[in-house]
């Protein structure tokens, strides 16, 4: 079976979001264009890496190609709305690719489905017949900056860190290594 590549050349929306309670959240990336919406499941750490690499790519594109890259996301591009429901997973992300399309002055993000074996890097950002399914999104530099800012907010909206050890606090309590393993209630730490 040949691969399916979902291409979003002018997405209305491309966002990171979650479903579930802090400590038990599932992370998604969601792309929408016209009436089509695709959601893919992604690990929290992958969202962190994608946001960091996007910011680095934007800096490099500005310096190497002289592209007009905003320092901060334009207010009109900031998206604080929840994910579009129903959230139906197309696939789980295994490999990610980033690039710059000089012809359209756009950042290209490609998300490839997780596979059993290793993915040959030649299929990333390529239209080969064989390989894992993919979602390919083209973003303006401003939209890419807005995506990275939202991704950072989504990742940091989880459980609060313990003020002593910085590990995430669990609503049922927290065994803090700095307290020699004694359990402390969350309410005590928040006072």
């Amino acid at each position: 079976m040949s691969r399916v590549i979902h291409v979003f050349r002018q997405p209305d929306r491309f966002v990171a979001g979650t479903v579930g309670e802090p400590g038990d959240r599932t992370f998604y990336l969601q792309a929408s264009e016209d009436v089509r919406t695709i959601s893919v499941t992604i690990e929290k750490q992958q969202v962190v890496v994608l946001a960091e690499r996007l910011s680095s790519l934007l800096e490099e594109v500005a310096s190497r190609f002289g592209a007009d890259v905003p320092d901060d996301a334009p207010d009109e591009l900031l998206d604080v709305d929840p994910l579009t429901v129903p959230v139906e997973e197309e696939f789980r992300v295994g490999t990610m690719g980033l690039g710059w399309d000089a012809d359209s002055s756009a950042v290209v993000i490609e998300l490839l489905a997780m596979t059993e074996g290793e993915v040959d890097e030649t299929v990333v950002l390529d239209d080969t017949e064989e390989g894992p399914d993919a979602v390919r999104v083209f973003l303006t530099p401003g939209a890419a900056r807005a995506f990275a800012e939202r991704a950072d907010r989504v990742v940091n909206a989880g459980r609060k860190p313990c003020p002593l050890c910085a590990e995430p606090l669990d609503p049922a309590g927290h065994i803090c290594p700095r307290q020699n393993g004694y359990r402390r209630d969350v309410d005590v730490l928040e006072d």
Side-chain angles (χ1 to χ4, degrees):
M1 185 162 94
S2 61
R3 72 193 292 217
V4 176
I5 302 174
H6 304 277
V7 179
F8 294 84
R9 290 211 174 267
Q10 296 180 331
D12 301 319
R13 187 172 197 224
F14 180 63
V15 295
T18 61
V19 173
E21 295 298 316
D24 191 29
R25 299 185 296 171
T26 302
F27 285 77
Y28 292 93
L29 295 182
Q30 196 173 69
S32 300
E33 188 173 13
D34 298 325
V35 296
R36 180 174 59 130
T37 299
I38 298 287
S39 302
V40 293
T41 306
I42 189 166
E43 294 296 323
K44 178 180 180 178
Q45 192 57 37
Q46 288 175 301
V47 175
V48 170
V49 169
L50 182 58
E52 288 172 356
R53 297 279 164 83
L54 259 177
S55 295
S56 297
L57 177 70
L58 290 171
E59 299 308 318
E60 186 174 336
V61 162
S63 67
R64 280 181 82 186
F65 302 108
D68 184 23
V69 175
D71 292 331
D72 295 312
D75 289 341
E76 66 274 6
L77 296 178
L78 291 176
D79 187 336
V80 295
D81 293 334
L83 294 172
T84 303
V85 292
V87 179
E88 296 173 354
E89 175 188 310
E90 187 72 22
F91 58 78
R92 180 172 288 280
V93 174
T95 303
M96 301 182 293
L98 275 179
W100 174 253
D101 181 20
D103 294 337
S104 62
S105 295
V107 172
V108 184
I109 301 170
E110 186 158 283
L111 310 162
L112 281 73
M114 187 174 282
T115 60
E116 293 294 319
E118 251 184 66
V119 174
D120 182 0
E121 64 184 51
T122 60
V123 304
V124 179
L125 299 172
D126 197 0
D127 291 333
T128 59
E129 290 284 325
E130 297 300 317
D133 289 352
V135 172
R136 188 177 300 150
V137 181
F138 291 75
L139 297 175
T140 65
R145 188 72 80 194
F147 171 85
E149 285 186 22
R150 177 184 169 122
D152 285 340
R153 280 195 318 275
V154 167
V155 166
N156 293 318
R159 295 175 287 175
K160 293 179 183 177
C162 172
L164 299 175
C165 69
E167 291 295 317
L169 291 172
D170 191 325
H174 172 66
I175 298 176
C176 181
R178 301 265 321 261
Q179 292 293 315
N180 203 19
Y182 287 100
R183 179 178 290 274
R184 306 214 64 194
D185 290 331
V186 174
D187 294 338
V188 172
L189 293 172
E190 291 179 349
D191 289 339

